[in-house]
Amino acid sequence: MKFNLDKTLIACGFIGPMIFFLGVYFLFHLFYPGYDWINQSISEQGARNSPIQIITNVFGFSFFGIFIMLFALGLFRSKEINAFGKLGVFFIFVTGILMYLTGIFYGNITAETYSILDKLHNIASNYQFPILALGFVIFVFSVSEHQKLRWMTPIILVLGLASLGLAYVFFFTHPDEITYRGVWQRAAIGLPYVIVMIIAIGMYKVQFWK
């Protein structure tokens, strides 16, 4: 079967999140004795003192970031996306870079001092979501008149507003004081990437299911 670059790039938009959810949400923490996914953050799986540090940072965060960048490249190459939409795609690409850097800049969650790696990790992990939200807004308005893609507009807007609310509560208030903080964080991180999967599936259907 002939290799199709564009099909592969768009497919990264739903394959990447599935791998991320499977590994970081469900599998990796099984190898971390005492880890409580209900009350501990995802970042603690990749902290310097974690027994699953390498697998989480490499095959969780950074690997996922590469998938997002590849997906954004596929969107940029698509003839279905206009120039305004490609501006939104740029922000999705930046989000991929920040997710990649989340795995590079890992800190020590239990450290008494706040290191530069902790600060860089927080910047990369927290600020990717407002940037991704901006990309969604631009993208969704760019396809609002597209006959085969406009169905995504209300879905992305509703889910996007919900994800912004979750992201604000978890990342920009006082996450350490939140009950069931692990669950809330997984929701705040997961919902935006469910939106990515919806976009990827919609684009794949329009471009390749003919």
Side-chain angles (χ1 to χ4, degrees), residues 74-206:
L75 290 177
F76 192 83
R77 288 169 55 93
S78 175
K79 296 179 181 179
E80 305 292 338
I81 307 301
N82 60 27
F84 184 55
K86 289 178 180 179
L87 175 61
V89 170
F90 168 76
F91 291 106
I92 295 175
F93 185 85
V94 171
T95 300
I97 295 175
L98 291 174
M99 180 60 82
Y100 179 84
L101 292 176
T102 298
I104 300 297
F105 300 135
Y106 58 89
N108 189 343
I109 302 300
T110 61
E112 294 181 0
T113 57
Y114 190 69
S115 70
I116 185 64
L117 279 178
D118 289 310
K119 183 175 182 179
L120 291 173
H121 175 85
N122 287 338
I123 290 173
S125 61
N126 293 357
Y127 286 92
Q128 63 183 271
F129 297 103
I131 293 172
L132 183 58
L134 179 57
F136 286 156
V137 170
I138 296 173
F139 178 85
V140 80
F141 280 106
S142 76
V143 300
S144 61
E145 301 298 324
H146 193 294
Q147 185 176 1
K148 296 181 179 180
L149 295 174
R150 60 189 178 191
W151 62 268
M152 291 193 287
T153 300
I155 296 174
I156 295 175
L157 287 177
V158 170
L159 294 180
L161 287 173
S163 67
L164 274 178
L166 286 169
Y168 174 77
V169 169
F170 188 85
F171 295 111
F172 298 102
T173 54
H174 300 284
D176 291 335
E177 300 174 6
I178 297 175
T179 305
Y180 306 124
R181 60 191 296 263
V183 175
W184 282 103
Q185 189 201 36
R186 282 161 175 78
I189 291 174
L191 190 54
Y193 290 112
V194 169
I195 297 174
V196 168
M197 293 176 70
I198 291 172
I199 294 173
I201 292 170
M203 291 297 301
Y204 195 93
K205 182 178 180 181
V206 168

Side-chain angles (χ1 to χ4, degrees), residues 5-39:
L5 176 61
D6 291 319
K7 183 182 290 189
T8 301
L9 292 173
I10 294 298
C12 286
F14 52 84
I15 294 174
M18 287 191 293
I19 294 174
F20 177 77
F21 293 145
L22 179 63
V24 175
Y25 278 40
F26 301 110
L27 294 181
F28 294 167
H29 69 85
L30 298 177
F31 303 95
Y32 189 161
Y35 179 84
D36 179 9
W37 69 270
I38 294 177
N39 293 298

